[in-house]
Amino acid sequence: MSSKEKLKDYQEKRDFRRTPEPAAGAGKAADRPIFVVQKHAARHLHYDFRLEVEGVLKSWAVPKGPSTDPKEKRLAVPTEDHPLEYADFEGVIPEGEYGAGTVLVWDTGPYRNLTEKKGKPVPMEEAVTHGHVKVWLEGKKLKGGYALTRFRTGKDEAWLLVKADDEEADARRNPVNTEPESVLSGRTIEDIEAAAKKGGY
Ligand code: MN
């Protein structure tokens, strides 16, 4: 499937005359694939966890956000593929539009695919299809291994996002609460809302 086909859902849910979100464009891939976690203060606050895979951002909504504690299992509900351009989107999605609310880039950086099956590397797209993904994140807030595991399929498909028990694990950190700002702009959700009210970004 081409990126354009994968992004059909994304395009259909949005009116690009109304939302400041990017329409799917050419999608410039970086040298290394990236991950991004976007804090999304919508009707229910959540964190969108996205991994660049074959020209799109594979996406999961994580209500409680990622943890740095390997004992914490965080629910991750898959959402539609997003365009690569979405990775640096911050702003306010207006009332009445899909995902209405405020978005900031909570963390981002390159990642490495660590997924293996019987000792052999599994390509990312296959790992996502099979529901077993292991990645190494090199973000500003999130570092080290994370596992994404599907535990329910069908209409209510659901996954768990769990920190691997490695040298970057730290049960005492709680970055979702202690580091709320954007890693791109240093702004909080409130800062972005205030800027939008003044007609800016
Ligand atoms: Mn969201």
Side-chain angles (χ1 to χ4, degrees), residues 12 45 51 59 88 163 169 178 188:
E12 284 175 0
L45 174 71
L51 293 169
S59 300
D88 57 8
K163 178 76 194 79
T178 61
T188 61

Side-chain angles (χ1 to χ4, degrees), residues 68 70 112 136 143-145 163-170 172:
T68 53
R112 278 188 290 133
W136 183 272
K143 294 176 198 295
K163 178 76 194 79
D165 196 357
D166 55 30
E167 66 272 23
E168 301 289 356
D170 188 346
R172 293 159 305 177

Side-chain angles (χ1 to χ4, degrees), residues 25-144:
K28 66 268 172 247
D31 294 353
R32 301 178 61 194
I34 57 128
F35 81 97
V36 61
V37 181
Q38 280 159 315
K39 183 176 182 179
H40 188 181
R43 200 153 49 85
H44 297 285
L45 174 71
H46 61 272
Y47 292 75
D48 289 297
F49 186 85
R50 312 190 198 279
L51 293 169
E52 178 182 345
V53 179
E54 302 290 330
V56 296
L57 296 171
K58 288 280 162 200
S59 300
W60 293 260
V62 183
K64 291 186 175 175
S67 176
T68 53
D69 179 355
K71 288 193 210 61
E72 286 282 331
K73 294 178 172 64
R74 295 288 158 92
L75 176 67
V77 178
T79 61
E80 76 277 17
D81 294 347
H82 278 50
L84 297 184
E85 289 88 344
Y86 209 90
D88 57 8
F89 171 71
E90 299 196 325
V92 177
I93 302 166
E95 246 355 278
E97 294 305 298
Y98 180 71
T102 306
V103 177
L104 66 72
V105 177
W106 185 77
D107 199 16
T108 189
Y111 82 87
R112 278 188 290 133
N113 177 17
L114 300 181
T115 316
E116 289 188 344
K117 193 177 180 186
K118 292 176 184 153
K120 290 210 180 88
V122 177
M124 276 302 284
E125 199 158 41
E126 207 178 307
V128 173
T129 303
H130 292 164
H132 284 283
V133 177
K134 196 171 174 201
V135 287
W136 183 272
L137 305 182
E138 297 173 29
K140 294 204 169 75
K141 296 170 185 170
L142 302 180
K143 294 176 198 295

